[in-house]
Amino acid sequence: QVQLVESGGRMVQAGDSLRLSCAASGRTSAMAWFRQVPGKEREFVAAITWIGGNTPYADSVKGRFTVSRDNAKNTMYLQMNSLKPEDTAIYYCAAKSRGLLLRDLLPVGTQYDYWGQGTQVTVSS
């Protein structure tokens, strides 16, 4: 019953910064960002929980991306800095509305109940 809407994707140059947003229609216990390039499998990017402050990141984005959320707005953000052409992909928002989600399972896409339609991020060299 939770609807997710991503926004903020656009074309930028390498080294630039961009912030993505994912607005949920209701409270979520955990939210995550995944990305996918045509011809490749979906890749975990980052996740964040309502309680606990767990924010795992994919190794490829550590130190460059920061995930955060505003619980009052039911919105998750992904601040992307020092963007690289390799970051080009469709970024999807995922959420688990209720229930427990172990820390080690946060990067697992099948654990999430809802998905957004995605927002395109293109980084030119």
Side-chain angles (χ1 to χ4, degrees), residues 8 18 26 61 63 117:
L18 190 64
V61 305
Q117 294 299 309

Side-chain angles (χ1 to χ4, degrees), residues 6-10 16-23 31-35 43-48 55-58 60-70 75-81 83 87 89-94 119 121:
E6 303 98 333
S7 63
R10 63 196 68 183
D16 210 341
S17 298
L18 190 64
R19 189 179 76 161
L20 304 182
S21 298
C22 175
M31 300 181 73
W33 289 100
F34 292 81
R35 65 187 183 186
E43 176 189 23
F44 169 76
V45 177
I48 188 168
T55 55
Y57 294 90
S60 60
V61 305
K62 286 183 178 178
R64 298 189 298 119
F65 291 9
T66 302
V67 64
S68 62
R69 67 186 298 170
D70 185 337
T75 301
M76 174 181 65
Y77 305 95
L78 183 66
Q79 178 64 47
M80 304 182 292
N81 298 326
L83 283 164
D87 296 318
I90 299 177
Y91 284 70
Y92 295 94
C93 175
T119 184
V121 173

Side-chain angles (χ1 to χ4, degrees), residues 2-125:
V2 175
Q3 294 182 328
L4 304 174
V5 180
E6 303 98 333
S7 63
R10 63 196 68 183
M11 180 179 291
V12 298
Q13 294 184 333
D16 210 341
S17 298
L18 190 64
R19 189 179 76 161
L20 304 182
S21 298
C22 175
S25 62
R27 177 176 174 176
T28 59
S29 60
M31 300 181 73
W33 289 100
F34 292 81
R35 65 187 183 186
Q36 187 169 27
V37 177
K40 295 185 178 181
E41 295 186 351
R42 181 181 58 199
E43 176 189 23
F44 169 76
V45 177
I48 188 168
T49 58
W50 179 289
I51 300 176
N54 295 308
T55 55
Y57 294 90
D59 290 340
S60 60
V61 305
K62 286 183 178 178
R64 298 189 298 119
F65 291 9
T66 302
V67 64
S68 62
R69 67 186 298 170
D70 185 337
N71 291 340
K73 298 179 179 179
N74 293 322
T75 301
M76 174 181 65
Y77 305 95
L78 183 66
Q79 178 64 47
M80 304 182 292
N81 298 326
S82 301
L83 283 164
K84 304 176 181 180
E86 302 93 285
D87 296 318
T88 296
I90 299 177
Y91 284 70
Y92 295 94
C93 175
K96 184 173 181 60
S97 59
R98 295 181 179 180
L100 299 177
L101 190 58
L102 299 176
R103 296 177 183 178
D104 291 344
L105 295 179
L106 286 172
V108 182
T110 55
Q111 298 299 308
Y112 294 90
D113 304 312
Y114 306 98
W115 293 81
Q117 294 299 309
T119 184
Q120 177 71 49
V121 173
T122 301
V123 184
S124 62
S125 60

